[in-house]
Amino acid sequence: MTALPATELRARAACLTVGFDGEAWILGRPDLGVFVAVPEPGAVFVTTLQETGSVAEATARASEMAGEHVDGDEFVAGLTAAGLFEAAAEPDAPGRIRWIEGVGPEAAARLFGRAGWTCYAAAAMTALAILATRPDLRPSWNDAWFLPSPGLSLLAVLLLTIACTALHEAWHWLAGRAIGIPAIFRLSYRGVYVVFETDLTQIVTVPRNRRHGVYLAGMAIDAVVLAIVLGLRLLEPPGVLDGLLAATALLQLSRIIWQWAALPLRSDSYALLANALRCHNLYRTTWLTAKARLLGLTAKETAELDAASARDRRVATWFAVPYLAGIAVMAWLFVTVALPLAMSLGRWAWGQLGSAGIGSFGFWEAVVVVAFTGAELLLPVVLAVRERRLRRTGRLL
């Protein structure tokens, strides 16, 4: 890399962003989603390289900042190995929703000022008050069956899930825009499922105390939706509408509980907690710390744990407690919501397959329900096995 002309080296360095997160300086390639933490001399080196394109000048300034000699060629080689000096990525990734991305930071910021967060807090308190005082309005897994046909109910719940997920992710994106992160909101798919992606990788370039709202934004709008549907149910709407509201309440309450419980799955609450604790990779460090105590580590894993920041290792010694608590709550959700619903659908489908004629609407409705329910139960296991295999081969960090 250092053999490149100064102009080319300067152009490559210009693609990097440099930001301070309160503890370390973050060098990043937002177009590639690659970010690394470096000490201040590393940031000085890059900014000098961006100004002059001279490794010698950058080395001199970084050495002066460090108070000792810095090996500039080795540092450039390290940045290259990390992927920070790759060729520029295409600026227009497919799947962007341009009219949504046209929302400016000033407009987005109106949703996340003092008045906005007051409204979100009021919505959460309203939802809690209704759930505490009206036991009949507390969501149950039975609320997913709000249409005469289980197949139609399943389809309706799937559409509701897509809509609520889109809103949740869009609010993360808006919160990012509000603090000036050039985030990307995409419509994509996984197999036959429509998914929404919110690219907020550049959040590491802003101070940590400005990130909290971005992590909380999804749950904030979930609380608003939950408060609205519970409030509408207080008005005792007619049957199908009340069923739709009840199903929506079930989805939103389950989502909120899941976000707070799913620390082992790097949920929004995990990101919030890791940010508040000023950790960089708390999830992985906690897993390695627990494994070291219970099962032992391989040489590669030992080196990885040793390379983790001292703060991550220190927090990981107690983070296992909420980590295990999260597993317990997720298990409770599975036992009280997902499993009863799956078993109920399975019993209905078995009866349909035995009584409905092959090729009839009832028969194919039962087939779809069985396939969907099986995928819902098995897909997390398949993905977990795949992630473990990729991690063992070094293809997933």
Side-chain angles (χ1 to χ4, degrees):
M1 178 62 66
T2 55
L4 290 173
T7 54
E8 177 64 18
L9 194 58
R10 183 178 182 181
R12 297 287 183 96
C15 295
L16 275 66
T17 60
V18 182
F20 186 62
D21 77 343
E23 276 194 350
W25 289 83
I26 306 297
L27 306 181
R29 279 291 300 275
D31 55 328
L32 301 176
V34 178
F35 298 87
V36 297
V38 298
E40 188 173 3
V44 170
F45 184 96
V46 169
T47 55
T48 303
L49 203 60
Q50 290 172 333
E51 294 172 8
T52 67
S54 169
V55 173
E57 179 68 20
T59 299
R61 293 189 188 179
S63 298
E64 182 180 355
M65 169 61 65
E68 59 183 357
H69 175 68
V70 171
D71 190 329
D73 290 337
E74 182 178 340
F75 186 66
V76 170
L79 296 182
T80 303
L84 292 173
F85 276 141
E86 294 291 332
E90 290 294 328
D92 293 319
R96 290 184 179 181
I97 304 177
R98 295 181 181 276
W99 64 268
I100 293 180
E101 294 184 12
V103 178
E106 297 80 9
R110 297 189 184 99
L111 297 170
F112 301 98
R114 181 172 298 178
W117 284 110
T118 299
C119 291
Y120 299 139
M125 294 176 63
T126 298
L128 286 173
I130 294 174
L131 292 172
T133 59
R134 289 292 300 270
D136 56 311
L137 297 184
R138 293 172 189 168
S140 161
W141 67 268
N142 291 289
D143 292 330
W145 294 65
F146 67 98
L147 293 175
S149 165
L152 292 177
S153 294
L154 190 63
L155 176 61
V157 169
L158 178 59
L159 294 176
L160 275 175
T161 301
I162 292 173
C164 292
T165 301
L167 186 63
H168 178 99
E169 292 299 324
W171 236 251
H172 280 304
W173 178 84
L174 286 167
R177 294 286 282 179
I179 63 172
I181 299 174
I184 297 171
F185 185 69
R186 294 187 181 96
L187 177 65
S188 186
Y189 65 91
R190 295 291 182 271
V192 298
Y193 300 102
V194 176
V195 298
F196 299 89
E197 300 176 339
T198 307
D199 183 358
L200 290 168
T201 51
Q202 292 195 57
I203 197 171
V204 298
T205 64
V206 302
R208 288 180 181 266
N209 61 0
R210 299 185 63 201
R211 304 178 195 172
H212 302 308
V214 180
Y215 297 136
L216 279 171
M219 288 183 284
I221 195 62
D222 289 342
V224 170
V225 174
L226 179 60
I228 290 173
V229 296
L230 288 174
L232 290 174
R233 291 199 71 196
L234 289 173
L235 302 177
E236 299 182 358
V240 174
L241 177 57
D242 186 59
L244 176 64
L245 294 172
T248 305
L250 173 64
L251 286 175
Q252 293 302 86
L253 183 60
S254 297
R255 182 192 300 276
I256 293 171
I257 295 175
W258 181 267
Q259 288 291 348
W260 283 107
L263 292 176
L265 301 182
R266 287 165 285 188
S267 62
D268 293 348
S269 60
Y270 163 78
L272 180 67
L273 182 59
N275 183 67
L277 293 171
R278 314 189 79 78
C279 294
H280 290 286
N281 195 1
L282 180 58
Y283 169 83
R284 182 64 176 165
T285 307
T286 299
W287 166 248
L288 291 174
T289 301
K291 187 181 179 185
R293 293 177 177 177
L294 300 175
L295 302 174
L297 300 176
T298 65
K300 184 177 180 180
E301 289 172 332
T302 300
E304 182 181 355
L305 181 59
D306 290 341
S309 70
R311 190 176 190 87
D312 279 19
R313 293 198 303 270
R314 185 167 59 253
V315 174
T317 59
W318 61 262
F319 185 70
V321 175
Y323 182 97
L324 293 175
I327 292 176
V329 175
M330 287 191 295
W332 172 79
L333 276 177
F334 178 79
V335 171
T336 60
V337 178
L339 188 59
L341 181 58
M343 292 177 63
S344 181
L345 286 170
R347 285 194 296 268
W348 173 85
W350 182 259
Q352 283 291 100
L353 291 173
S355 60
I358 296 178
S360 66
F361 175 80
F363 175 84
W364 288 113
E365 183 183 20
V367 169
V368 170
V369 168
V370 169
F372 182 83
T373 304
E376 286 283 288
L377 294 176
L378 294 178
L379 188 59
V381 177
V382 173
L383 292 177
V385 172
R386 178 178 179 273
E387 180 175 332
R388 184 177 181 183
R389 178 176 59 81
L390 291 175
R391 197 178 296 281
R392 281 181 172 177
T393 59
R395 294 166 61 190
L396 180 67
L397 298 178

